[in-house]
Amino acid sequence: AQSVTQPDIHITVSEGASLELRCNYSYGATPYLFWYVQSPGQGLQLLLKYFSGDTLVQGIKGFEAEFKRSQSSFNLRKPSVHWSDAAEYFCAVGPVDSNYQLIWGAGTKLIIKP
Amino acid sequence: DTAVSQTPKYLVTQMGNDKSIKCEQNLGHDTMYWYKQDSKKFLKIMFSYNNKELIINETVPNRFSPKSPDKAHLNLHINSLELGDSAVYFCASSQGSGTANYGYTFGSGTRLTVV
């Protein structure tokens, strides 16, 4: 069955430290992969996406993610986090049907220590 | 501002009531969606609506009904509200052919609390 797993419910990092958020998926073909961010009280915003080609993709706000087919992973990274990065991060995979639907992970809450 | 806007932002109501949440997008997108985010932050698609074609997630109770008066609006009407309907409801839209449809733009959500 198709699924997305974000193993970490919460992650706490110090401001200025590097970050890696994990995402693993189960999918029968080459997936489309996405990371979205949800700031408190806000809707979700697309950070980056992977469809094909270079497996290291760059996104907004200094984020990047790497698609590793052998590990069925699409981990999100940032070399130096800022307090404003505190938010909920969602990984998603598609397509699951012809209507462009995605399967969503349960999210990882990023907490920034001053 | 170009955006997806939802009203109200907060909605507190009693069990058994009927309520509506409105959504409007001025992005010119063709497809609109309703998502439900439960207390554990899990996102679940409820409906997608494209060119008057409604795709319903079969797990959504028929107390929930989307209504689209035009391409820019997709409202969510809920009958006979239950405690389990308490959640944050997000409207979203997307546009384009093929993979561009995955570039969802989300509204800021409506927090529904049923008491």
Side-chain angles (χ1 to χ4, degrees):
Chain A
Q2 299 161 337
S3 65
V4 176
T5 302
Q6 292 180 246
D8 304 304
I9 297 174
H10 299 101
I11 278 191
T12 302
V13 299
S14 298
E15 190 170 15
S18 63
L19 170 70
E20 182 168 33
L21 301 182
R22 296 183 290 164
C23 174
N24 295 98
Y25 64 89
S26 173
Y27 195 77
T30 301
Y32 299 154
L33 295 157
F34 307 81
W35 277 99
Y36 279 79
V37 59
Q38 183 181 21
S39 298
Q42 300 298 313
L44 284 78
Q45 180 183 22
L46 180 65
L47 278 177
L48 47 78
K49 58 185 182 288
Y50 171 80
F51 292 140
S52 65
D54 192 346
T55 56
L56 184 63
V57 294
Q58 302 297 319
I60 62 172
K61 305 185 180 187
F63 285 92
E64 67 177 25
E66 186 171 12
F67 170 53
K68 293 186 177 180
R69 185 190 303 275
S70 61
Q71 298 177 19
S72 297
S73 69
F74 189 58
N75 294 347
L76 182 71
R77 302 193 294 247
K78 187 169 184 178
S80 176
V81 297
H82 186 263
W83 64 267
S84 60
D85 293 324
E88 193 93 24
Y89 291 80
F90 292 90
C91 181
V93 64
V96 296
D97 56 29
S98 59
N99 295 302
Y100 308 104
Q101 296 310 311
L102 301 177
I103 296 175
W104 296 82
T108 298
K109 185 173 184 177
L110 175 62
I111 300 166
I112 307 295
K113 288 192 302 186
Chain B
D1 290 344
T2 55
V4 177
S5 57
Q6 299 178 226
T7 54
K9 192 171 179 66
Y10 300 95
L11 181 56
V12 181
T13 188
Q14 291 186 327
M15 280 196 318
N17 284 351
D18 302 338
K19 290 294 179 184
S20 292
I21 305 172
K22 295 184 177 181
C23 178
E24 176 182 6
Q25 55 94 3
N26 61 6
L27 298 161
H29 287 176
D30 282 335
T31 307
M32 297 183 72
Y33 311 83
W34 277 106
Y35 279 85
K36 179 180 180 181
Q37 186 178 48
D38 63 23
S39 57
K40 294 184 178 180
K41 298 285 188 176
F42 185 67
L43 266 172
K44 180 180 174 182
I45 183 77
M46 300 178 71
F47 305 100
S48 66
Y49 200 88
N50 177 295
N51 292 326
K52 301 187 178 181
E53 180 186 10
L54 178 64
I55 308 298
I56 301 172
N57 183 326
E58 61 185 13
T59 66
V60 175
N62 58 15
R63 297 181 296 102
F64 290 80
S65 57
K67 299 189 188 303
S68 180
D70 55 55
K71 197 174 83 166
H73 296 83
L74 183 65
N75 303 325
L76 182 64
H77 190 75
I78 316 169
N79 290 325
S80 303
L81 277 155
E82 300 178 358
L83 293 176
D85 298 332
S86 295
V88 181
Y89 292 84
F90 286 101
C91 179
S93 69
S94 68
Q95 174 65 13
S97 58
T99 55
N101 272 296
Y102 292 108
Y104 300 123
T105 300
F106 281 83
S108 57
T110 296
R111 182 174 294 278
L112 171 65
T113 304
V114 182
V115 298

